[in-house]
Amino acid sequence: MSTPLRLVEPQHLTGAALLDAVTTFLSRFIVFPNQHCAPAIALWFAHTHAAAHFYVTPRLVISSAEPGSGKTLVIEVGQYLVGKPEMVFNASTSAVFRMVASHGPITLLWDEVDAIFTSNGGTNEDLRAMLNAGYKRTAHVARCVGDSHSVQRFPVYSPVALVGLAGAMPATITTRAITVHMRRKKRTEKAEEFRERIVQRDAEPLREALSNWIGGIAETIGEAEPTMPDGVANRSREIWEPLLAIADAAGGHWPQTARQACAYFVQQAELQPVTTGVRLLSDLRTIFAERDTDRISTVDILADLVALDEAPWGDVNGGRPLDARRLARELSQYQVTPAAFRIGGQITKGYVTYSTKDQVGLTDAWSRYLPTENDDTDNETDVEGESWEH
């Protein structure tokens, strides 16, 4: 496929037109699952050129259910657009943080990271700690060096894109990330074949223009406090603040496009339970809503949980289904404990939605740990002084 005629050289483009050009360039080689992906990735690539000016650098996670979905292609193209790229394959944690410490914020493009987190029982605590800590500019990792074993603090702040199969990334990383779930393209969907020489040649003027533009506004966007879409707060705000600051500086349609992408990805993240406990709370909310009651016995809860389609509760104890002891242990993290109540004239034990002065109900936990969508927290009942046997 021939290269499109370039009517205006990238260095003469406005910020909005330059981001448009990056988005179009990405879409030449990659078929994205929806319209929000390419703009979000273009903004993330742009932010790498000013990472030193931001307090937070969001992780970019590129995942898919199956190989061959274009995950690696995102960073193969991206290495020619980001600031100070470093493609990483199976590097040791010590080697990576020494690279970062020696060269300042570099852009780590880490392929097949799922193999790291699913090997050795799924644990690689040093790497996980480095990726978690390096999300913020003030982060350092302390190590003993030399024969004297003196303690040296290595800065680990750097932009990181992580590529791997879905489900392999630890929750401590995904909660600091914008996650793009790639899909295999349909036979009817076409994209230009990736050829490194062509990509490098065509990306070079874009990357240079992007670096010059971002470099000229780096201090301004680093101090910006962009307005967030409704419902975007706390860590989600941290993640998106650098990207929205760039979009606002670009102007044109980009402030709106970026906020639409932000709202989409934040909502998608909220719909994905990130821990076993949150998944349990979510499934319990579904069960209580379906039964339309404020109390269910433990026996019935366990039966309903195991019966849920695509739920993990039928195999959580070495091939055995969830039992009352494990259920109580999981819910105790949220101060929710079993209650005694009457059903059909019989006293039984189970779980309730309402709270009393002595007991925390499930609604309290739902309102704190689950997305507010479809969560009727206004109906929570605090029953002062009520006996559990009613």
Side-chain angles (χ1 to χ4, degrees):
M1 184 179 296
S2 61
T3 303
L5 179 64
R6 191 180 295 126
L7 298 178
V8 180
E9 291 300 319
Q11 64 266 29
H12 301 307
L13 294 175
T14 64
L18 181 55
L19 289 176
D20 286 344
V22 173
T23 302
T24 300
F25 184 77
L26 289 171
S27 299
R28 277 176 58 187
F29 306 97
I30 305 164
V31 175
F32 291 103
N34 62 62
Q35 74 273 19
H36 302 297
C37 297
I41 292 173
L43 287 167
W44 191 89
F45 286 173
H47 108 282
T48 66
H49 293 277
H53 293 268
F54 295 115
Y55 179 60
V56 160
T57 171
R59 274 61 185 107
L60 177 65
V61 170
I62 310 294
S63 69
S64 72
E66 296 291 341
S69 301
K71 300 186 304 297
T72 300
L73 196 54
V74 174
I75 60 171
E76 284 184 323
V77 175
Q79 68 182 308
Y80 298 110
L81 293 168
V82 301
K84 301 170 70 173
E86 190 71 50
M87 294 287 282
V88 181
F89 300 89
N90 197 29
S92 69
T93 306
S94 59
V96 172
F97 73 64
R98 286 177 186 276
M99 282 194 300
V100 174
S102 299
H103 302 291
I106 59 178
T107 305
L108 298 173
L109 305 170
W110 206 313
D111 199 8
E112 297 182 359
V113 75
D114 50 295
I116 297 172
F117 290 117
T118 55
S119 62
N120 300 320
T123 60
N124 196 319
E125 293 305 322
D126 283 347
L127 174 59
R128 188 196 308 236
M130 188 203 78
L131 292 174
N132 290 346
Y135 163 79
K136 293 190 175 181
R137 190 171 60 198
T138 53
H140 292 77
V141 170
R143 288 290 184 271
C144 294
V145 296
D147 295 336
S148 63
H149 299 289
S150 59
V151 176
Q152 184 173 342
R153 298 171 71 247
F154 294 91
V156 291
Y157 174 75
S158 268
V160 182
L162 301 163
V163 175
L165 293 175
M169 230 68 70
T172 53
I173 292 175
T174 57
T175 55
R176 293 169 166 83
I178 298 165
T179 299
V180 177
H181 293 289
M182 298 294 291
R183 296 183 296 180
R184 285 184 181 173
K185 65 177 183 287
K186 299 176 183 177
R187 291 179 178 86
T188 56
E189 294 175 321
K190 304 297 181 183
E192 187 174 338
E193 186 176 348
F194 176 86
R195 287 188 170 88
E196 184 178 22
R197 177 178 55 83
I198 293 174
V199 173
Q200 184 175 10
R201 180 196 68 198
D202 292 354
E204 184 175 354
L206 279 176
R207 181 188 179 280
E208 183 178 352
L210 198 59
S211 177
N212 290 338
W213 174 59
I214 293 294
I217 61 172
E219 291 189 8
T220 300
I221 58 178
E223 296 175 357
E225 297 181 0
T227 303
M228 293 288 143
D230 290 343
V232 177
N234 302 320
R235 181 158 287 172
S236 295
R237 177 194 58 78
E238 281 188 338
I239 290 171
W240 280 93
E241 195 166 75
L243 308 194
L244 295 187
I246 292 172
D248 287 347
H253 68 89
W254 276 93
Q256 180 181 8
T257 296
R259 283 166 176 81
Q260 289 173 345
C262 171
Y264 170 80
F265 283 108
V266 170
Q267 181 185 48
Q268 290 299 303
E270 289 179 343
L271 294 175
Q272 301 296 321
V274 295
T275 66
T276 300
V278 169
R279 172 64 189 266
L280 178 59
L281 288 175
S282 178
D283 287 348
L284 285 172
R285 186 166 66 177
T286 298
I287 289 169
F288 273 83
E290 289 177 348
R291 285 181 173 258
D292 192 22
T293 182
D294 63 0
R295 68 198 73 182
I296 305 177
S297 70
T298 299
V299 172
D300 287 341
I301 284 176
L302 292 172
D304 287 358
L305 285 170
V306 171
L308 286 175
D309 291 337
E310 301 180 5
W313 313 117
D315 183 9
V316 295
N317 293 317
R320 297 189 301 274
L322 182 71
D323 57 26
R325 186 187 298 272
R326 175 69 182 273
L327 176 64
R329 186 167 72 247
E330 291 289 344
L331 292 178
S332 68
Q333 302 175 92
Y334 311 103
Q335 288 73 54
V336 176
T337 56
F341 49 82
R342 291 185 183 274
I343 294 182
Q346 299 293 321
I347 295 177
T348 187
K349 293 201 74 174
Y351 293 87
V352 298
T353 62
Y354 51 83
S355 298
T356 70
K357 64 181 181 181
D358 300 316
Q359 188 99 21
V360 174
L362 282 164
T363 301
D364 179 86
W366 295 336
S367 68
R368 296 175 189 274
Y369 299 101
L370 298 184
T372 57
E373 187 176 273
N374 298 324
D375 182 11
D376 191 8
T377 54
D378 290 339
N379 290 335
E380 179 178 359
T381 304
D382 292 321
V383 187
E384 290 292 341
E386 183 175 353
S387 168
W388 289 109
E389 296 184 10
H390 66 282

